[in-house]
Amino acid sequence: MSTMFPFPFRKKARQKPSKEGVNLLASILVCYEEITKVGYEPKDDTIRLTFSIEEAVTKPHFDQVGRLLAESVAAFLDLSGIRPRVMSIEMETAAGVSFLHLIRDVESLTRDELSLIADVLYDAFPETLLLDDRDPLDPNFEVEQENLLDHMLGAVRQHRLKEKLLGIREGDRVVVYNQ
């Protein structure tokens, strides 16, 4: 004979991530094959972009690339009349692979700046920057994704996201999680 005892647990309702947040992170990953991971932090309204480099980047090389990237972005923002609230660059290296993390406030981030960042890093690591191994995008789809990214950046500026999100590549798909 078995006896059942009720557990005093409530079933936690799983919240789906906001459509704007999912679309923003997915669009960034679709538009920029150089970005391997993107996260959104609601506490300070920032985006964390991760670039993977298939080499152990030395501190002097990272400092050099970091300076070039910071100066390039600062010049671009200055010419655009944009004052960033948050901009930082971090590097971590483990087991022959390095990860460059760029943290930017969503408020002042633009698609043109993302393109500049991707180009600078591709030029700095032409052989070792990890790129998404995908077929080239259809030009019409690419333009649609760029327009969607512009729209999503504007939407997130107007309606700040409340949840912490993480977008990654999983095979030939882009997946966005609510953390």
Side-chain angles (χ1 to χ4, degrees), residues 55-67 91 124-125 128:
E55 70 177 273
V57 178
T58 64
K59 174 123 175 65
H61 190 200
F62 169 70
D63 290 343
Q64 176 188 11
V65 170
R67 265 191 309 280
M91 175 71 79
F125 304 103
T128 58

Side-chain angles (χ1 to χ4, degrees), residues 20 103 114 154:
E20 291 85 8
I103 299 138
L114 289 170

Side-chain angles (χ1 to χ4, degrees), residues 53-55 121-130:
I53 302 148
E54 296 180 306
E55 70 177 273
L121 291 175
Y122 184 79
D123 289 345
F125 304 103
E127 301 296 321
T128 58
L129 183 65
L130 189 64

Side-chain angles (χ1 to χ4, degrees), residues 101-165:
H101 307 287
L102 181 90
I103 299 138
R104 283 286 283 111
D105 59 282
V106 173
E107 201 172 293
S108 64
L109 184 66
T110 66
R111 183 172 50 84
D112 290 336
E113 179 186 344
L114 289 170
S115 295
L116 172 68
I117 292 164
D119 289 346
V120 167
L121 291 175
Y122 184 79
D123 289 345
F125 304 103
E127 301 296 321
T128 58
L129 183 65
L130 189 64
L131 303 175
D132 182 24
D133 187 25
R134 66 178 183 209
D135 294 330
L137 295 178
D138 175 277
N140 292 331
F141 180 73
E142 191 171 359
V143 169
E144 287 175 19
Q145 284 302 309
E146 289 171 351
N147 290 336
L148 178 61
L149 177 54
D150 286 336
H151 176 74
M152 288 296 99
L153 282 168
V156 170
R157 282 185 198 106
Q158 290 179 349
H159 305 288
R160 193 170 170 173
L161 301 175
K162 294 179 183 6
E163 64 267 342
K164 188 173 184 173
L165 300 172

